[in-house]
Amino acid sequence: MNGTMCSRVCLALALLPQKITISSAYRTKLCPLLFKKVTGISVTDFELLTSIGLFNESLMNDAIYKFRRHEEASLSYTGINRHEGEAVGGFSTVLEEDEYHEMYGAETGTPYLKVGDKVEVAGSGICTVTSVQKERFSVKDSKEKTTRYVYPNAFEYGTVKLHKK
């Protein structure tokens, strides 16, 4: 199969609501005209190609989740998070938000943080994350001192690392 079609299927997914898988969305005829315009094939042709195994589900899921991760990073740079707290749909699977961030956040070198996580801070040792906002997070060290950091810069510069248990 041509890589362009796979890319177009990934792009078509970006135009769907976040928690819908591409195959379920188009099987239920959610956006047939949009799908045809973006991919160049009809929903019927897509279903036929899917049924004969032309799309490798695991590779398509991976590509779509990576595409979403890129989209998310681009939007979060501007302070926009359109899908905070929502499940994330792929080609044939849906991941809960935490599961998605664990799998695909690690690839970018920027971990997904939540309150209660343990991090290693240069000069302070192991600290506990006490708050997480869009571009900042706070940690408390063993002496109960709270420090704020810019997210994700603190991870990118190596000042803070996610503590491996």
Side-chain angles (χ1 to χ4, degrees):
M1 180 182 46
N2 156 339
T4 303
M5 185 183 301
C6 287
S7 299
R8 288 179 177 198
V9 168
C10 289
L11 176 61
L13 178 64
L15 303 172
L16 290 173
Q18 179 102 350
K19 61 187 169 187
I20 296 175
T21 66
I22 192 162
S23 53
S24 68
Y26 292 117
R27 283 192 184 120
T28 60
K29 312 293 190 268
L30 182 64
C31 309
L33 296 175
L34 178 61
F35 185 78
K36 176 142 177 106
K37 183 141 184 112
V38 172
T39 65
I41 62 172
S42 69
V43 172
T44 306
D45 290 343
F46 173 72
E47 289 175 343
L48 175 64
L49 295 172
T50 302
S51 71
I52 62 173
L54 194 61
F55 294 99
N56 179 321
E57 281 192 30
S58 63
L59 290 177
M60 291 298 289
N61 276 319
D62 188 54
I64 289 165
Y65 287 127
K66 286 178 179 174
F67 185 91
R68 284 204 184 273
R69 183 72 179 145
H70 177 72
E71 174 193 33
E72 178 184 285
S74 297
L75 291 173
S76 67
Y77 177 75
T78 63
I80 298 170
N81 186 345
R82 299 180 326 171
H83 305 292
E84 190 168 2
E86 292 183 9
V88 182
F91 181 74
S92 62
T93 60
V94 176
L95 298 175
E96 292 303 316
E97 183 183 33
D98 287 350
E99 185 180 24
Y100 167 71
H101 284 289
E102 281 179 29
M103 289 176 67
Y104 292 95
E107 291 180 0
T108 64
T110 304
Y112 174 66
L113 279 184
K114 54 189 179 297
V115 172
D117 281 349
K118 301 290 184 192
V119 293
E120 295 176 34
V121 178
S124 297
I126 297 172
C127 301
T128 303
V129 176
T130 56
S131 73
V132 180
Q133 290 90 33
K134 287 181 181 178
E135 296 177 359
R136 304 212 181 277
F137 67 99
S138 299
V139 301
K140 192 174 279 191
D141 65 17
S142 60
K143 297 175 185 169
E144 298 296 311
K145 178 184 171 199
T146 299
T147 308
R148 290 180 57 177
Y149 294 94
V150 176
Y151 181 80
N153 301 29
F155 289 95
E156 292 170 355
Y157 298 139
T159 309
V160 179
K161 295 178 183 171
L162 197 58
H163 178 66
K164 307 236 192 247
K165 299 174 183 171

